[in-house]
Amino acid sequence: MGLTYVRMLQDPMWGPFQVTEVEVELLATPAVARLEQIKQMGVAFLDYPSLTHTRLEHSLGVMYVADKLYRMLRETTRNRSDFTENERRQLFDDDTHQAVRIAALLHDLGHPPFSHAIELTFLRYPSILERARLGLLHGRPTKLQRRKAGLLRGYSHEKFTKWTINNSRSIRKILRTRFRTRPELRKEIADLAIGKAPRILAPFNGLISGDFDADKIDYLIRDNRRSGFAIGLSPDELYQSIHLSRIERKGDGAPAYDLYIDRAAMPFVNSVLASRGRLVRRVHLARLGRTATQMLTRFLSDDLHRIRPRARLAETIIEIHTRCTDFTFFERIIDRLPKKSRARKSARHVGNLVRRPSEDAIWEEALRIRCERMHPSLRLWTYIAATRGYEKSDDALVRDPAGNAYFVEPSVRPAPKFSLQVDFECSPENPGFDFIAGNANLYGRAILLDALSSLDIFAYKLGKRPRAAGRRAGRGADPLPECAEMCTENLNRRERLAAEHVIRIALSGRGGRRAETSSLHHSEFLLALLHGLHRHVLENWPGARGVYVYRAEYFIKHFMRRLAHEKRALPSRFQLAGRGPLEERRLANRVFSEIQRLNAYGLIETRRRPLFHSSEDVGKKGTDRTRSGTYSMREDFRLGVWGRDYLRCAVAREVLAVVESLVEERQSRIRCELAEMAEIYGMELQAKSGLDTEGGLLTERVMRFHRRWSELEGRLWDLGGCAMIFSVPGGGAGGSGPAEAS
């Protein structure tokens, strides 16, 4: 039947497109109209005056792209033999189509004024949110106060988006009227708007929130063109390349569906990755906008720390995300400040900087240390420091011997999540999935490594009289690890001051932690795992000199799944929320991304080598045909020299010992399985070499052998076994050669 459209809108990027009656009503609500007064690019207009487009313009564009992707998905699923007619009718009816369009339109309702500039404040100073949350829970909180406290736990603007959709009377009334006969869809629209729909709309989460969703496609095209950079992206390039896969659940549960693309879409995928990197490098890291963002975050953190009582602080934070706009943000702050106060003067100064841009009013940039100039250990410390928060804005200040104060900012560029899988076989009936940056997409791998290695340390000069500037960088500062001097020896005096401050931020908060794996940063935890495996091989395999781990992300995924099953402590990034295939795939993606990050930082080493496949294996992903078989490339990882040096200097010995004991326990059990496999394999070879040629007895023995072998392989896989490649002396020219064990 199709949707009924009542109005035509004109977009500068996509041209004319139609909207339905319910969408026209939503555009008139205060929550959606607020987006018309919030700039999409924050304060980037200081460097690029044309970047003044709004969140509403972007939201309409996302709705258009999501609609296009939904129609493509319907076309690719229409003739699939593995989908029943009933399934297709449930997935692609008019109500579902309208729900996807509405979720795309409302996906940005929780953005604060100046977009990511204000978000950075709450990410950098999480103590503000914690203080507000505790204020709501003080005494006997009401049900509404407990809900607001949950909203402030673990900051993201997506939480405020869901809150706004569920608590806006006008939006709820419109959705209740439109989905009167489908209340289950109405309840899931808020979840789909943040990419976390649980049931009916779950197959379309990837259209709204993912690696190559409608949001990213629109903002990449819109922001690049608005800033004056030509870009040739179009969602039409995904035609016939976007699909749904069915994930069968154990028992009688209904199947789940997930989004994926096939190999034909890889040129578009790589273009998206490359254009995102260029946008961040050219626009997001431009000097004036970046400096003004730091001034804005410091100003807002100071203001929020002054608010008393704590319950009023919570209401202020919620108001910033649901009512404030770029035009009312500073007025609301100035109104609550005492007249003729220094804080009121500072508010007017920062407000004038945004209203009447002036390069003279922006902090002076004192230095910028790029990744390629950093020591490998300093790279990891910078990454950890960029993910940690400050207690207050003064924690980011340091003072040099001359009395000048500097605002220090460790910066890391966000990398793709790699939540979207690619079918490199281009076979919807029997797909061959792999990572987007797998060995079959070397161009995407290069773009990923470039994004992961984009680390910077910025310092901005404030002057000689900042308030309580940088005591931690002066006398009485915490001692640095012994290799800190080596990490900073190639830097000048001012750069060394900033680098040492970053190291202190990264190491802060460890004093009172228990000796468990949860006390480690997730990158440190992966380094500790590889270190434990390295030590285990050296101690238990005579003659071994070093260990490479084949497809380390799979080994670590199984290892951590086993730890989670045994209820062992894990770093928060690797906690398993569920035990389904989707959750395990997300874990594998996180591990894959972190391993590539450590590789880019130089803390682990990578070796690429070809593997030969027999002619029966032709057709597997990532292989090249030859006359007698196929070859494919695989990557082996091992802990590098700098990685071992980092663990020795930055991680407490008792914490490292816990990880080593876990690895030793797991690998010892794996060695028992390997020994049993070797024993039955030797017995089988001995039996086959004898004179017993009775067909029945031999066939029975072979079948028994295969049953036993499959059982041992399953137990080994469940324990997290993997292929380890290590060098032993005396195996070829040069005195060493490869040996492998599962």
Side-chain angles (χ1 to χ4, degrees), residues 101-234:
R101 287 175 59 98
I102 291 175
L105 177 64
L106 304 181
H107 82 285
D108 267 353
L109 290 188
H111 268 288
F114 303 107
S115 298
H116 300 294
I118 300 299
E119 289 178 44
L120 183 61
T121 305
F122 298 104
L123 294 173
R124 176 172 287 160
Y125 306 103
S127 59
I128 296 174
L129 295 170
E130 184 63 17
R131 190 162 62 91
R133 191 180 71 86
L134 294 177
L136 289 172
L137 297 177
H138 181 71
R140 295 183 177 180
T142 63
K143 184 177 180 180
L144 178 60
Q145 287 177 323
R146 287 195 296 270
R147 288 175 56 202
K148 290 181 178 179
L151 179 65
L152 300 176
R153 189 182 185 91
Y155 176 80
S156 68
H157 72 267
E158 287 87 356
K159 285 189 173 184
F160 291 93
T161 295
K162 183 177 178 179
W163 171 271
T164 304
I165 296 173
N166 289 332
N167 291 274
S168 170
R169 292 183 179 179
S170 54
I171 292 178
R172 284 191 302 170
K173 181 179 179 181
I174 293 171
L175 296 183
R176 191 182 301 113
T177 303
R178 171 60 180 82
F179 298 100
R180 184 179 294 107
T181 60
R182 299 287 300 277
E184 69 279 4
L185 278 179
R186 170 175 54 84
K187 295 176 181 178
E188 285 197 37
I189 285 178
D191 295 308
L192 180 60
I194 62 175
K196 294 181 179 179
R199 291 179 293 277
I200 301 175
L201 298 177
F204 308 105
N205 284 331
L207 296 182
I208 309 298
S209 178
D211 282 326
F212 305 100
D213 53 30
D215 182 25
K216 290 181 178 59
I217 292 174
D218 180 81
Y219 91 70
L220 285 173
I221 295 175
R222 191 177 303 275
D223 295 351
N224 272 289
R225 290 184 181 175
R226 286 280 192 171
S227 56
F229 302 120
I231 183 171
L233 289 178
S234 171

Side-chain angles (χ1 to χ4, degrees), residues 369 374 378-386 388 390 398 408-411 456-458 480 495-508:
I369 310 176
M374 296 183 192
L378 182 57
R379 293 172 188 171
L380 183 54
W381 274 319
T382 303
Y383 171 52
I384 295 175
R388 292 189 185 277
Y390 299 119
V398 295
V408 178
E409 176 207 0
S411 174
D456 294 284
I457 299 176
F458 298 102
L480 291 172
E495 291 172 339
R496 186 180 299 114
L497 182 70
E500 289 177 352
H501 184 67
V502 167
I503 294 174
R504 287 191 174 91
I505 296 172
L507 297 176
S508 63

Side-chain angles (χ1 to χ4, degrees), residues 32 73 101 106 116 118 163 171 437 494 528 531 637 651 654:
V32 179
L73 201 60
R101 287 175 59 98
L106 304 181
H116 300 294
I118 300 299
W163 171 271
I171 292 178
R494 184 181 296 171
H531 176 74
F637 297 92
V651 178
E654 59 270 17

Side-chain angles (χ1 to χ4, degrees), residues 454-623:
S454 296
L455 284 168
D456 294 284
I457 299 176
F458 298 102
Y460 308 97
K461 186 177 180 180
L462 276 65
K464 290 194 175 185
R465 297 182 61 188
R467 180 169 59 87
R471 295 177 181 173
R472 297 185 180 183
R475 296 179 180 177
D478 298 331
L480 291 172
E482 57 185 271
C483 69
E485 184 175 351
M486 181 189 301
C487 294
T488 59
E489 63 181 358
N490 293 324
L491 305 176
N492 61 40
R493 189 175 184 180
R494 184 181 296 171
E495 291 172 339
R496 186 180 299 114
L497 182 70
E500 289 177 352
H501 184 67
V502 167
I503 294 174
R504 287 191 174 91
I505 296 172
L507 297 176
S508 63
R510 281 188 175 168
R513 290 182 175 177
R514 296 175 294 171
E516 293 182 354
T517 55
S518 58
S519 66
L520 292 171
H521 189 267
H522 39 267
S523 291
E524 295 173 324
F525 180 66
L526 295 185
L527 283 178
L529 275 183
L530 293 177
H531 176 74
L533 190 59
H534 178 82
R535 288 283 300 271
H536 172 81
V537 169
L538 293 182
E539 293 173 359
N540 294 280
W541 297 87
R545 298 192 307 175
V547 59
Y548 280 94
V549 184
Y550 168 53
R551 296 304 292 268
E553 65 270 10
Y554 289 116
F555 160 69
I556 296 172
K557 182 194 77 170
H558 283 281
F559 186 88
M560 289 190 290
R561 182 183 66 176
R562 193 71 181 180
L563 292 183
H565 180 73
E566 297 172 359
K567 295 182 172 53
R568 305 277 191 131
L570 286 170
S572 58
R573 184 179 174 87
F574 297 138
Q575 294 290 351
L576 288 169
R579 297 180 62 183
L582 285 179
E583 186 60 36
E584 289 196 8
R585 201 190 79 198
R586 293 189 187 101
L587 175 62
N589 290 337
R590 296 186 201 114
V591 172
F592 174 79
S593 182
E594 290 302 322
I595 286 178
Q596 299 302 328
R597 190 187 301 277
L598 293 172
N599 182 28
Y601 293 170
L603 296 170
I604 63 176
E605 299 173 357
T606 306
R607 181 174 69 173
R608 293 176 58 84
R609 66 184 200 140
L611 286 181
F612 178 75
H613 302 269
S614 63
S615 57
E616 290 82 5
D617 294 329
V618 173
K620 288 189 176 181
K621 55 183 177 292
T623 59

Side-chain angles (χ1 to χ4, degrees), residues 46-154:
L46 295 172
D47 293 282
Y48 297 89
S50 59
L51 291 178
T52 56
H53 54 292
T54 65
R55 283 279 162 189
L56 180 60
E57 183 180 335
H58 165 65
S59 297
L60 288 169
V62 173
M63 183 179 71
Y64 170 83
V65 177
D67 177 82
K68 201 158 189 129
L69 296 179
Y70 179 89
R71 294 171 185 270
M72 291 180 187
L73 201 60
R74 184 171 58 191
E75 289 296 319
T76 56
T77 310
R78 175 174 295 174
N79 298 320
R80 291 267 295 273
S81 60
D82 53 336
F83 280 79
T84 66
E85 185 62 33
N86 185 43
E87 283 180 299
R88 285 192 286 268
R89 187 165 50 252
Q90 290 177 351
L91 288 170
F92 300 104
D93 62 0
D94 290 344
D95 288 336
T96 305
H97 188 184
Q98 182 65 83
V100 170
R101 287 175 59 98
I102 291 175
L105 177 64
L106 304 181
H107 82 285
D108 267 353
L109 290 188
H111 268 288
F114 303 107
S115 298
H116 300 294
I118 300 299
E119 289 178 44
L120 183 61
T121 305
F122 298 104
L123 294 173
R124 176 172 287 160
Y125 306 103
S127 59
I128 296 174
L129 295 170
E130 184 63 17
R131 190 162 62 91
R133 191 180 71 86
L134 294 177
L136 289 172
L137 297 177
H138 181 71
R140 295 183 177 180
T142 63
K143 184 177 180 180
L144 178 60
Q145 287 177 323
R146 287 195 296 270
R147 288 175 56 202
K148 290 181 178 179
L151 179 65
L152 300 176
R153 189 182 185 91

